Amino acid sequence: MYDQPRANLSVAAMTFDQMLERVRYEGAYPTRERAAEAVHHVLAALGRQLTGDERVDLAQCLPVEAALTLTAQIPDTRHLTGWGFVKDLAARTGATPAVARWDTGAVLATVARLAGPDLLGRILRRLPGGYALLFGQAELRRPEPAPA
């Protein structure tokens, strides 16, 4: 068989509608459409930052519609920090950094649940500093030594 098993079988699969409802709840969005907009913007931005097996494994954990948004993006050669990610999202969507941060937290909290702790740990190791907080996790990286 060519299909790979899901990266984390302990997390129940979620439909896209269920994902939107979860994001709507997490972000306290007034409408489902606003939640869908946040999901598409944030997953597109994440798709520009995430590469390798972690990108593939995360796509397998997401509902099809969300996975397509993530994987339709060409990874950027610029690796943004967590705050850079939020500022870039704000610039691309025309939102304020505060709104972009809110959207990011609402979407990535749901993505973290779908990914599970093992895959989330791998994703956070691949991304630059500052992403753990965006996923609703503590930042547990050791600081990089200062250049001499």
Side-chain angles (χ1 to χ4, degrees):
M1 292 209 140
Y2 294 104
D3 289 341
Q4 295 293 319
R6 291 184 87 85
N8 185 358
L9 296 175
S10 66
V11 177
M14 187 181 283
T15 67
F16 189 63
D17 287 339
Q18 290 169 327
M19 182 180 188
L20 290 181
E21 283 306 313
R22 188 76 182 147
V23 169
R24 184 177 177 194
Y25 175 80
E26 291 285 338
Y29 296 116
T31 65
R32 186 180 186 86
E33 291 74 25
R34 178 65 185 93
E37 181 180 300
V39 166
H40 288 294
H41 288 309
V42 172
L43 288 180
L46 185 60
R48 288 189 291 275
Q49 294 299 309
L50 193 58
T51 60
D53 289 341
E54 290 75 18
R55 177 182 169 110
V56 173
D57 292 345
L58 179 58
Q60 287 180 338
C61 293
L62 298 174
V64 173
E65 298 88 337
L68 290 174
T69 299
L70 177 82
T71 58
Q73 305 305 309
I74 297 171
D76 200 339
T77 56
R78 258 182 342 152
H79 297 288
L80 302 172
T81 63
W83 178 237
F85 178 88
V86 170
K87 289 192 304 186
D88 182 65
L89 181 62
R92 288 176 185 266
T93 61
T96 65
V99 170
R101 173 60 182 96
W102 184 269
D103 290 350
T104 300
V107 174
L108 294 185
T110 302
V111 169
R113 293 181 89 178
L114 288 168
D118 295 337
L119 177 55
L120 182 58
R122 288 177 33 222
I123 289 169
L124 292 175
R125 284 189 293 278
R126 177 165 290 274
L127 293 169
Y131 281 87
L133 294 174
L134 300 178
F135 280 95
Q137 306 293 307
E139 185 77 42
L140 299 176
R141 291 183 178 208
R142 275 199 264 169
E144 297 293 325

